[in-house]
């Protein structure tokens, strides 16, 4: 996983975790990366700035090297364990559902309106498509961790 420092057009700063830079770009372009504070999907990578620490009324640069890279610090064991459990639960759910790719919204509607038999599915939907489904009363749930298409490596 790669941790990116992100910001929205309203000036909020936050972190995002992605499998690769390409995953980030793909999800951002599809409107799937949004600000946790205001929901804006106009998100970009925050400019990298030198890390500084404050001491009294003066500002000093933090030490260079691994101590300065706080975002690469190891996770506490309980956080790592929880993330692994969530990933395992998601993987199990994905195994018992069918990949429908970009046709997710259409497939969910077809099932909801009785045009097709109900079956668990997963695929791609933009934030707008997911909102439209929810407004129609169609239950959908986001996938918590990035998932590669079946013919790609995760």
């Amino acid at each position: 996983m790669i941790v990116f420092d992100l910001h929205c057009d309203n000036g909020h700063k936050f972190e995002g975790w992605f499998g690769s830079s390409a995953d980030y770009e793909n999800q951002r372009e599809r409107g799937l990366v949004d600000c946790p504070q205001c929901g804006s999907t106009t998100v970009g990578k925050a400019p990298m700035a030198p890390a500084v620490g404050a001491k009294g009324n003066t500002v000093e640069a933090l030490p260079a090297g691994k101590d300065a890279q706080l975002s690469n610090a190891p996770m506490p064991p309980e956080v790592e364990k929880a993330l692994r459990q969530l990933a395992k639960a998601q993987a199990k759910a994905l195994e018992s559902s069918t990949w429908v790719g970009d046709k997710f919204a259409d497939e969910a509607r077809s099932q909801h309106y009785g045009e097709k038999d109900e079956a668990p599915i997963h695929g791609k939907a933009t934030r707008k498509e997911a909102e439209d489904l929810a407004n129609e009363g169609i239950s959908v749930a986001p996938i918590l961790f990035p998932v590669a298409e079946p013919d790609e490596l995760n």
Side-chain angles (χ1 to χ4, degrees), residues 1-9 12-36 40-48 145-148 152 154:
M1 287 290 195
I2 300 173
V3 179
F4 290 113
D5 289 325
L6 304 174
H7 66 89
C8 74
D9 56 342
H12 300 123
K13 294 182 181 172
F14 55 98
E15 286 184 351
W17 294 36
F18 300 90
S20 67
S21 291
D23 286 345
Y24 162 74
E25 289 299 331
N26 178 286
Q27 292 180 38
R28 184 190 58 78
E29 288 170 4
R30 292 177 42 222
L32 300 176
V33 179
D34 59 354
C35 175
S40 172
T41 57
T42 306
V43 172
K45 292 181 186 174
M48 297 301 284
F145 298 100
V147 174
E152 294 179 12
N154 216 1

Side-chain angles (χ1 to χ4, degrees), residues 51-63:
V52 294
K55 185 175 183 180
N57 290 331
T58 62
V59 176
E60 299 176 356
L62 288 175

Side-chain angles (χ1 to χ4, degrees), residues 86-99:
L86 284 171
K88 192 174 181 179
Q90 176 176 297
K92 186 171 179 134
L94 294 175
E95 285 175 11
S96 62
S97 64
T98 303
W99 172 258

